[in-house]
Amino acid sequence: MMPPMTCVTPPASPATDMFSRILTSGLIAGAATGLIAALLQLWFVQPVLLHAELYESGQLAHFGAEAVSAHPDLGPFEWTRNMLSVLFTMLVYAGYGLMLVALMAAAEARGHAVTARQGLLWGLAGYLTMQLAPAFGLAPEVPGVAAADVQLRAIWWLGTAIATGLALWLIAFGKGWAAWAIAVVLILAPHLIGAPQPETYSGPVPPELSAEFAGRALGAGAMAWALLGLLTGWFWQREGQRAPVPQPA
Amino acid sequence: MTAKSATAAGAGRASVLFPAVAAFAIGFGLIFMSGLVQAETLHDAAHDVRHATGFPCH
């Protein structure tokens, strides 16, 4: 016979409390944002992606003898594919949420309290870091575009995000001209070096669709990041009020 | 600042540093797995998200 279950909560250390505060705020805010971001993407971005795939696969071709309709049938809603997209969007934004809240914790330890209102600024900084700065060199790619080697692009993408994020931290929390000068160098350097570009252009997708895709992806990302900033700031502050205030020994 | 309060401040910072670094690393792991790893299954499952979120995909 099973012994009766007892629930004993061991006294948590300040580090454990902090970890659970970061995890709770980051994951809840991130997953909620991811769900909304996924809906935005399915509604606004996915139709452009599916349209482009008709050109990528050769079912449609532009610049042919006949004019091609700009409004083809995109087929039925693909449940498995789209639910995987919802899942991965939630994972991506949960990751962003955790990183954002970890940085909020570091800022708070330095005496900078974070609220939902300031969270909005954090979200916009995250958007600049993870989407707009990389997109300045590597615009969001519609399927079928010509591009340089994917590993080289991934390295440049990651390097740009790291440099931009560091720069924004220095602008927000650095003191003096030296910090701001380093920030300017960090923001510009990836773009002066330049993103890896393809040797030749061979994309079969109409430029109208590529432009629409990049605009939609960046716009949906901006909305999602603004929301992520607000929610992480709000949850972070709320979890801080629930948690015991750490007392100096 | 006295030695005692310096130690307390150091302990306060330390109790934030490790959880923050750990959470940041987990978050980065999620991004890396969803956005950047080129393993075929992951790539196919996350394909549309990678394009729509601006990750380099193919």
Side-chain angles (χ1 to χ4, degrees), chain A residues 3 11 15 49 51-52 56 77 103 106 109 120 134 144 150 152 157 159 198 218 229 248-249:
Chain A
L49 188 147
H51 193 167
E56 183 188 27
F77 189 84
L103 293 171
L120 185 59
V150 67
L152 289 178
W157 190 97
L218 286 174

Side-chain angles (χ1 to χ4, degrees), chain A residues 36-226:
Chain A
I36 291 168
L39 296 177
L40 286 171
Q41 286 174 1
L42 284 179
W43 190 267
F44 291 109
V45 187
Q46 190 72 5
V48 190
L49 188 147
L50 293 174
H51 193 167
E53 282 185 346
L54 295 177
Y55 287 93
E56 183 188 27
S57 63
Q59 291 176 61
L60 291 180
H62 68 132
F63 291 132
E66 292 177 25
V68 182
S69 165
H71 308 282
D73 180 11
L74 298 176
F77 189 84
E78 295 175 66
W79 280 98
T80 309
R81 177 177 181 171
N82 291 331
M83 287 308 110
L84 275 173
S85 293
V86 172
L87 173 72
F88 273 94
T89 310
M90 289 174 76
L91 284 174
V92 166
Y93 278 92
Y96 287 148
L98 281 178
M99 292 168 78
L100 207 53
V101 175
L103 293 171
M104 286 176 177
E108 195 181 76
R110 295 163 60 95
H112 305 284
V114 180
T115 62
R117 192 185 285 259
Q118 283 153 334
L120 185 59
L121 278 177
W122 281 79
L124 293 176
Y127 172 68
L128 291 177
T129 300
M130 304 301 289
Q131 287 215 294
L132 199 61
F136 192 70
L138 295 172
E141 297 160 7
V142 80
V145 296
D149 176 65
V150 67
Q151 288 198 343
L152 289 178
R153 282 182 293 139
I155 291 167
W156 185 88
W157 190 97
L158 206 52
T160 303
I162 292 168
T164 309
L166 275 174
L168 292 180
W169 181 274
L170 284 174
I171 289 171
F173 302 117
K175 291 190 178 70
W177 290 103
W180 296 326
I182 294 170
V184 170
V185 171
L186 283 171
I187 285 175
L188 289 179
H191 307 293
L192 293 174
I193 294 167
Q197 299 294 338
E199 296 286 330
T200 55
Y201 292 131
S202 58
V205 178
E208 292 89 338
L209 277 181
S210 288
E212 187 182 11
F213 185 84
R216 286 281 169 98
L218 286 174
M223 293 184 221
W225 269 101

Side-chain angles (χ1 to χ4, degrees), chain A residues 20-37:
Chain A
S20 85
R21 182 182 170 196
I22 294 174
L23 273 191
T24 311
S25 321
L27 286 178
I28 296 176
T33 303
L35 186 60
I36 291 168

